[in-house]
mmCIF file with all atom_site columns, all heavy atoms in Angstrom:
data_model
loop_
_atom_site.group_PDB
_atom_site.id
_atom_site.type_symbol
_atom_site.label_atom_id
_atom_site.label_alt_id
_atom_site.label_comp_id
_atom_site.label_asym_id
_atom_site.label_entity_id
_atom_site.label_seq_id
_atom_site.pdbx_PDB_ins_code
_atom_site.Cartn_x
_atom_site.Cartn_y
_atom_site.Cartn_z
_atom_site.occupancy
_atom_site.B_iso_or_equiv
_atom_site.pdbx_formal_charge
_atom_site.auth_seq_id
_atom_site.auth_comp_id
_atom_site.auth_asym_id
_atom_site.auth_atom_id
_atom_site.pdbx_PDB_model_num
ATOM 1   N N   . ASP O 1 56 ? 5.998  -91.496 23.034 1.00 0.00 ? 56 ASP O N   1
ATOM 2   C CA  . ASP O 1 56 ? 6.796  -91.697 21.821 1.00 0.00 ? 56 ASP O CA  1
ATOM 3   C C   . ASP O 1 56 ? 6.650  -90.487 20.885 1.00 0.00 ? 56 ASP O C   1
ATOM 4   O O   . ASP O 1 56 ? 6.158  -90.607 19.750 1.00 0.00 ? 56 ASP O O   1
ATOM 5   C CB  . ASP O 1 56 ? 6.390  -92.999 21.114 1.00 0.00 ? 56 ASP O CB  1
ATOM 6   C CG  . ASP O 1 56 ? 7.297  -93.311 19.927 1.00 0.00 ? 56 ASP O CG  1
ATOM 7   O OD1 . ASP O 1 56 ? 8.402  -92.745 19.869 1.00 0.00 ? 56 ASP O OD1 1
ATOM 8   O OD2 . ASP O 1 56 ? 6.895  -94.102 19.057 1.00 0.00 ? 56 ASP O OD2 1
ATOM 9   N N   . ALA O 1 57 ? 7.065  -89.333 21.387 1.00 0.00 ? 57 ALA O N   1
ATOM 10  C CA  . ALA O 1 57 ? 6.948  -88.089 20.614 1.00 0.00 ? 57 ALA O CA  1
ATOM 11  C C   . ALA O 1 57 ? 8.324  -87.441 20.443 1.00 0.00 ? 57 ALA O C   1
ATOM 12  O O   . ALA O 1 57 ? 9.225  -87.652 21.252 1.00 0.00 ? 57 ALA O O   1
ATOM 13  C CB  . ALA O 1 57 ? 6.024  -87.116 21.355 1.00 0.00 ? 57 ALA O CB  1
ATOM 14  N N   . VAL O 1 58 ? 8.471  -86.707 19.352 1.00 0.00 ? 58 VAL O N   1
ATOM 15  C CA  . VAL O 1 58 ? 9.657  -85.863 19.190 1.00 0.00 ? 58 VAL O CA  1
ATOM 16  C C   . VAL O 1 58 ? 9.187  -84.429 18.949 1.00 0.00 ? 58 VAL O C   1
ATOM 17  O O   . VAL O 1 58 ? 8.096  -84.207 18.429 1.00 0.00 ? 58 VAL O O   1
ATOM 18  C CB  . VAL O 1 58 ? 10.573 -86.282 18.009 1.00 0.00 ? 58 VAL O CB  1
ATOM 19  C CG1 . VAL O 1 58 ? 11.339 -87.550 18.306 1.00 0.00 ? 58 VAL O CG1 1
ATOM 20  C CG2 . VAL O 1 58 ? 9.802  -86.383 16.700 1.00 0.00 ? 58 VAL O CG2 1
ATOM 21  N N   . ILE O 1 59 ? 10.048 -83.478 19.314 1.00 0.00 ? 59 ILE O N   1
ATOM 22  C CA  . ILE O 1 59 ? 9.712  -82.065 19.102 1.00 0.00 ? 59 ILE O CA  1
ATOM 23  C C   . ILE O 1 59 ? 10.727 -81.464 18.130 1.00 0.00 ? 59 ILE O C   1
ATOM 24  O O   . ILE O 1 59 ? 11.936 -81.503 18.362 1.00 0.00 ? 59 ILE O O   1
ATOM 25  C CB  . ILE O 1 59 ? 9.693  -81.290 20.435 1.00 0.00 ? 59 ILE O CB  1
ATOM 26  C CG1 . ILE O 1 59 ? 8.672  -81.920 21.399 1.00 0.00 ? 59 ILE O CG1 1
ATOM 27  C CG2 . ILE O 1 59 ? 9.357  -79.810 20.189 1.00 0.00 ? 59 ILE O CG2 1
ATOM 28  C CD1 . ILE O 1 59 ? 8.512  -81.220 22.738 1.00 0.00 ? 59 ILE O CD1 1
ATOM 29  N N   . LEU O 1 60 ? 10.200 -80.958 17.015 1.00 0.00 ? 60 LEU O N   1
ATOM 30  C CA  . LEU O 1 60 ? 11.029 -80.276 16.020 1.00 0.00 ? 60 LEU O CA  1
ATOM 31  C C   . LEU O 1 60 ? 10.880 -78.776 16.266 1.00 0.00 ? 60 LEU O C   1
ATOM 32  O O   . LEU O 1 60 ? 9.746  -78.296 16.421 1.00 0.00 ? 60 LEU O O   1
ATOM 33  C CB  . LEU O 1 60 ? 10.546 -80.618 14.595 1.00 0.00 ? 60 LEU O CB  1
ATOM 34  C CG  . LEU O 1 60 ? 11.143 -81.866 13.936 1.00 0.00 ? 60 LEU O CG  1
ATOM 35  C CD1 . LEU O 1 60 ? 10.989 -83.088 14.804 1.00 0.00 ? 60 LEU O CD1 1
ATOM 36  C CD2 . LEU O 1 60 ? 10.509 -82.116 12.576 1.00 0.00 ? 60 LEU O CD2 1
ATOM 37  N N   . THR O 1 61 ? 11.999 -78.064 16.283 1.00 0.00 ? 61 THR O N   1
ATOM 38  C CA  . THR O 1 61 ? 11.904 -76.635 16.615 1.00 0.00 ? 61 THR O CA  1
ATOM 39  C C   . THR O 1 61 ? 12.594 -75.795 15.550 1.00 0.00 ? 61 THR O C   1
ATOM 40  O O   . THR O 1 61 ? 13.747 -76.042 15.191 1.00 0.00 ? 61 THR O O   1
ATOM 41  C CB  . THR O 1 61 ? 12.579 -76.332 17.976 1.00 0.00 ? 61 THR O CB  1
ATOM 42  O OG1 . THR O 1 61 ? 13.972 -76.647 17.898 1.00 0.00 ? 61 THR O OG1 1
ATOM 43  C CG2 . THR O 1 61 ? 11.951 -77.117 19.099 1.00 0.00 ? 61 THR O CG2 1
ATOM 44  N N   . HIS O 1 62 ? 11.874 -74.790 15.050 1.00 0.00 ? 62 HIS O N   1
ATOM 45  C CA  . HIS O 1 62 ? 12.532 -73.836 14.151 1.00 0.00 ? 62 HIS O CA  1
ATOM 46  C C   . HIS O 1 62 ? 13.303 -72.837 15.003 1.00 0.00 ? 62 HIS O C   1
ATOM 47  O O   . HIS O 1 62 ? 12.909 -72.547 16.144 1.00 0.00 ? 62 HIS O O   1
ATOM 48  C CB  . HIS O 1 62 ? 11.507 -73.116 13.250 1.00 0.00 ? 62 HIS O CB  1
ATOM 49  C CG  . HIS O 1 62 ? 12.188 -72.302 12.194 1.00 0.00 ? 62 HIS O CG  1
ATOM 50  N ND1 . HIS O 1 62 ? 12.504 -70.975 12.382 1.00 0.00 ? 62 HIS O ND1 1
ATOM 51  C CD2 . HIS O 1 62 ? 12.668 -72.639 10.962 1.00 0.00 ? 62 HIS O CD2 1
ATOM 52  C CE1 . HIS O 1 62 ? 13.133 -70.527 11.296 1.00 0.00 ? 62 HIS O CE1 1
ATOM 53  N NE2 . HIS O 1 62 ? 13.249 -71.517 10.417 1.00 0.00 ? 62 HIS O NE2 1
ATOM 54  N N   . SER O 1 63 ? 14.366 -72.286 14.422 1.00 0.00 ? 63 SER O N   1
ATOM 55  C CA  . SER O 1 63 ? 15.254 -71.385 15.180 1.00 0.00 ? 63 SER O CA  1
ATOM 56  C C   . SER O 1 63 ? 14.572 -70.097 15.637 1.00 0.00 ? 63 SER O C   1
ATOM 57  O O   . SER O 1 63 ? 15.126 -69.373 16.465 1.00 0.00 ? 63 SER O O   1
ATOM 58  C CB  . SER O 1 63 ? 16.468 -71.016 14.325 1.00 0.00 ? 63 SER O CB  1
ATOM 59  O OG  . SER O 1 63 ? 17.173 -72.174 13.986 1.00 0.00 ? 63 SER O OG  1
ATOM 60  N N   . TYR O 1 64 ? 13.394 -69.766 15.125 1.00 0.00 ? 64 TYR O N   1
ATOM 61  C CA  . TYR O 1 64 ? 12.724 -68.526 15.516 1.00 0.00 ? 64 TYR O CA  1
ATOM 62  C C   . TYR O 1 64 ? 11.852 -68.688 16.764 1.00 0.00 ? 64 TYR O C   1
ATOM 63  O O   . TYR O 1 64 ? 11.313 -67.699 17.254 1.00 0.00 ? 64 TYR O O   1
ATOM 64  C CB  . TYR O 1 64 ? 11.812 -68.026 14.388 1.00 0.00 ? 64 TYR O CB  1
ATOM 65  C CG  . TYR O 1 64 ? 12.492 -67.570 13.112 1.00 0.00 ? 64 TYR O CG  1
ATOM 66  C CD1 . TYR O 1 64 ? 11.743 -67.421 11.943 1.00 0.00 ? 64 TYR O CD1 1
ATOM 67  C CD2 . TYR O 1 64 ? 13.839 -67.266 13.062 1.00 0.00 ? 64 TYR O CD2 1
ATOM 68  C CE1 . TYR O 1 64 ? 12.332 -66.989 10.758 1.00 0.00 ? 64 TYR O CE1 1
ATOM 69  C CE2 . TYR O 1 64 ? 14.432 -66.840 11.882 1.00 0.00 ? 64 TYR O CE2 1
ATOM 70  C CZ  . TYR O 1 64 ? 13.681 -66.704 10.734 1.00 0.00 ? 64 TYR O CZ  1
ATOM 71  O OH  . TYR O 1 64 ? 14.252 -66.273 9.571  1.00 0.00 ? 64 TYR O OH  1
ATOM 72  N N   . VAL O 1 65 ? 11.651 -69.916 17.258 1.00 0.00 ? 65 VAL O N   1
ATOM 73  C CA  . VAL O 1 65 ? 10.818 -70.038 18.462 1.00 0.00 ? 65 VAL O CA  1
ATOM 74  C C   . VAL O 1 65 ? 11.676 -69.721 19.688 1.00 0.00 ? 65 VAL O C   1
ATOM 75  O O   . VAL O 1 65 ? 12.901 -69.618 19.607 1.00 0.00 ? 65 VAL O O   1
ATOM 76  C CB  . VAL O 1 65 ? 10.095 -71.418 18.579 1.00 0.00 ? 65 VAL O CB  1
ATOM 77  C CG1 . VAL O 1 65 ? 9.237  -71.669 17.367 1.00 0.00 ? 65 VAL O CG1 1
ATOM 78  C CG2 . VAL O 1 65 ? 11.054 -72.551 18.852 1.00 0.00 ? 65 VAL O CG2 1
ATOM 79  N N   . GLU O 1 66 ? 11.049 -69.569 20.817 1.00 0.00 ? 66 GLU O N   1
ATOM 80  C CA  . GLU O 1 66 ? 11.763 -69.074 21.995 1.00 0.00 ? 66 GLU O CA  1
ATOM 81  C C   . GLU O 1 66 ? 12.833 -70.078 22.457 1.00 0.00 ? 66 GLU O C   1
ATOM 82  O O   . GLU O 1 66 ? 12.667 -71.293 22.321 1.00 0.00 ? 66 GLU O O   1
ATOM 83  C CB  . GLU O 1 66 ? 10.768 -68.812 23.126 1.00 0.00 ? 66 GLU O CB  1
ATOM 84  C CG  . GLU O 1 66 ? 9.620  -67.949 22.630 1.00 0.00 ? 66 GLU O CG  1
ATOM 85  C CD  . GLU O 1 66 ? 9.317  -66.764 23.501 1.00 0.00 ? 66 GLU O CD  1
ATOM 86  O OE1 . GLU O 1 66 ? 10.235 -66.226 24.136 1.00 0.00 ? 66 GLU O OE1 1
ATOM 87  O OE2 . GLU O 1 66 ? 8.153  -66.377 23.544 1.00 0.00 ? 66 GLU O OE2 1
ATOM 88  N N   . PRO O 1 67 ? 13.933 -69.554 23.004 1.00 0.00 ? 67 PRO O N   1
ATOM 89  C CA  . PRO O 1 67 ? 15.083 -70.417 23.305 1.00 0.00 ? 67 PRO O CA  1
ATOM 90  C C   . PRO O 1 67 ? 14.792 -71.535 24.301 1.00 0.00 ? 67 PRO O C   1
ATOM 91  O O   . PRO O 1 67 ? 15.389 -72.608 24.233 1.00 0.00 ? 67 PRO O O   1
ATOM 92  C CB  . PRO O 1 67 ? 16.143 -69.453 23.843 1.00 0.00 ? 67 PRO O CB  1
ATOM 93  C CG  . PRO O 1 67 ? 15.400 -68.223 24.232 1.00 0.00 ? 67 PRO O CG  1
ATOM 94  C CD  . PRO O 1 67 ? 14.209 -68.148 23.339 1.00 0.00 ? 67 PRO O CD  1
ATOM 95  N N   . GLU O 1 68 ? 13.846 -71.285 25.242 1.00 0.00 ? 68 GLU O N   1
ATOM 96  C CA  . GLU O 1 68 ? 13.571 -72.356 26.221 1.00 0.00 ? 68 GLU O CA  1
ATOM 97  C C   . GLU O 1 68 ? 12.889 -73.555 25.548 1.00 0.00 ? 68 GLU O C   1
ATOM 98  O O   . GLU O 1 68 ? 12.951 -74.679 26.062 1.00 0.00 ? 68 GLU O O   1
ATOM 99  C CB  . GLU O 1 68 ? 12.735 -71.834 27.399 1.00 0.00 ? 68 GLU O CB  1
ATOM 100 C CG  . GLU O 1 68 ? 11.280 -71.498 27.096 1.00 0.00 ? 68 GLU O CG  1
ATOM 101 C CD  . GLU O 1 68 ? 11.086 -70.044 26.679 1.00 0.00 ? 68 GLU O CD  1
ATOM 102 O OE1 . GLU O 1 68 ? 12.052 -69.442 26.171 1.00 0.00 ? 68 GLU O OE1 1
ATOM 103 O OE2 . GLU O 1 68 ? 9.969  -69.510 26.859 1.00 0.00 ? 68 GLU O OE2 1
ATOM 104 N N   . ILE O 1 69 ? 12.248 -73.314 24.394 1.00 0.00 ? 69 ILE O N   1
ATOM 105 C CA  . ILE O 1 69 ? 11.651 -74.442 23.659 1.00 0.00 ? 69 ILE O CA  1
ATOM 106 C C   . ILE O 1 69 ? 12.767 -75.195 22.924 1.00 0.00 ? 69 ILE O C   1
ATOM 107 O O   . ILE O 1 69 ? 12.881 -76.417 23.022 1.00 0.00 ? 69 ILE O O   1
ATOM 108 C CB  . ILE O 1 69 ? 10.579 -73.938 22.661 1.00 0.00 ? 69 ILE O CB  1
ATOM 109 C CG1 . ILE O 1 69 ? 9.452  -73.206 23.403 1.00 0.00 ? 69 ILE O CG1 1
ATOM 110 C CG2 . ILE O 1 69 ? 10.030 -75.100 21.832 1.00 0.00 ? 69 ILE O CG2 1
ATOM 111 C CD1 . ILE O 1 69 ? 8.373  -72.609 22.506 1.00 0.00 ? 69 ILE O CD1 1
ATOM 112 N N   . ILE O 1 70 ? 13.606 -74.431 22.224 1.00 0.00 ? 70 ILE O N   1
ATOM 113 C CA  . ILE O 1 70 ? 14.677 -75.066 21.427 1.00 0.00 ? 70 ILE O CA  1
ATOM 114 C C   . ILE O 1 70 ? 15.619 -75.873 22.325 1.00 0.00 ? 70 ILE O C   1
ATOM 115 O O   . ILE O 1 70 ? 15.920 -77.030 22.042 1.00 0.00 ? 70 ILE O O   1
ATOM 116 C CB  . ILE O 1 70 ? 15.470 -73.996 20.643 1.00 0.00 ? 70 ILE O CB  1
ATOM 117 C CG1 . ILE O 1 70 ? 14.531 -73.231 19.702 1.00 0.00 ? 70 ILE O CG1 1
ATOM 118 C CG2 . ILE O 1 70 ? 16.632 -74.635 19.874 1.00 0.00 ? 70 ILE O CG2 1
ATOM 119 C CD1 . ILE O 1 70 ? 15.180 -72.067 18.967 1.00 0.00 ? 70 ILE O CD1 1
ATOM 120 N N   . TYR O 1 71 ? 16.079 -75.233 23.413 1.00 0.00 ? 71 TYR O N   1
ATOM 121 C CA  . TYR O 1 71 ? 17.105 -75.889 24.233 1.00 0.00 ? 71 TYR O CA  1
ATOM 122 C C   . TYR O 1 71 ? 16.533 -76.650 25.434 1.00 0.00 ? 71 TYR O C   1
ATOM 123 O O   . TYR O 1 71 ? 17.224 -77.475 26.017 1.00 0.00 ? 71 TYR O O   1
ATOM 124 C CB  . TYR O 1 71 ? 18.145 -74.845 24.692 1.00 0.00 ? 71 TYR O CB  1
ATOM 125 C CG  . TYR O 1 71 ? 18.872 -74.262 23.494 1.00 0.00 ? 71 TYR O CG  1
ATOM 126 C CD1 . TYR O 1 71 ? 18.515 -73.026 22.966 1.00 0.00 ? 71 TYR O CD1 1
ATOM 127 C CD2 . TYR O 1 71 ? 19.862 -74.988 22.839 1.00 0.00 ? 71 TYR O CD2 1
ATOM 128 C CE1 . TYR O 1 71 ? 19.138 -72.513 21.836 1.00 0.00 ? 71 TYR O CE1 1
ATOM 129 C CE2 . TYR O 1 71 ? 20.496 -74.494 21.709 1.00 0.00 ? 71 TYR O CE2 1
ATOM 130 C CZ  . TYR O 1 71 ? 20.119 -73.254 21.214 1.00 0.00 ? 71 TYR O CZ  1
ATOM 131 O OH  . TYR O 1 71 ? 20.746 -72.765 20.084 1.00 0.00 ? 71 TYR O OH  1
ATOM 132 N N   . GLY O 1 72 ? 15.261 -76.367 25.755 1.00 0.00 ? 72 GLY O N   1
ATOM 133 C CA  . GLY O 1 72 ? 14.673 -77.049 26.916 1.00 0.00 ? 72 GLY O CA  1
ATOM 134 C C   . GLY O 1 72 ? 14.010 -78.365 26.552 1.00 0.00 ? 72 GLY O C   1
ATOM 135 O O   . GLY O 1 72 ? 14.139 -79.351 27.287 1.00 0.00 ? 72 GLY O O   1
ATOM 136 N N   . VAL O 1 73 ? 13.310 -78.388 25.403 1.00 0.00 ? 73 VAL O N   1
ATOM 137 C CA  . VAL O 1 73 ? 12.528 -79.598 25.090 1.00 0.00 ? 73 VAL O CA  1
ATOM 138 C C   . VAL O 1 73 ? 12.697 -80.084 23.647 1.00 0.00 ? 73 VAL O C   1
ATOM 139 O O   . VAL O 1 73 ? 12.211 -81.157 23.297 1.00 0.00 ? 73 VAL O O   1
ATOM 140 C CB  . VAL O 1 73 ? 11.010 -79.375 25.362 1.00 0.00 ? 73 VAL O CB  1
ATOM 141 C CG1 . VAL O 1 73 ? 10.769 -79.057 26.825 1.00 0.00 ? 73 VAL O CG1 1
ATOM 142 C CG2 . VAL O 1 73 ? 10.418 -78.263 24.484 1.00 0.00 ? 73 VAL O CG2 1
ATOM 143 N N   . GLY O 1 74 ? 13.376 -79.299 22.807 1.00 0.00 ? 74 GLY O N   1
ATOM 144 C CA  . GLY O 1 74 ? 13.498 -79.666 21.393 1.00 0.00 ? 74 GLY O CA  1
ATOM 145 C C   . GLY O 1 74 ? 14.408 -80.873 21.184 1.00 0.00 ? 74 GLY O C   1
ATOM 146 O O   . GLY O 1 74 ? 15.404 -81.040 21.884 1.00 0.00 ? 74 GLY O O   1
#
Side-chain angles (χ1 to χ4, degrees):
D56 186 18
V58 287
I59 302 182
L60 272 54
T61 62
H62 189 268
S63 300
Y64 294 164
V65 303
E66 309 230 31
E68 71 269 25
I69 300 177
I70 300 175
Y71 297 100
V73 299

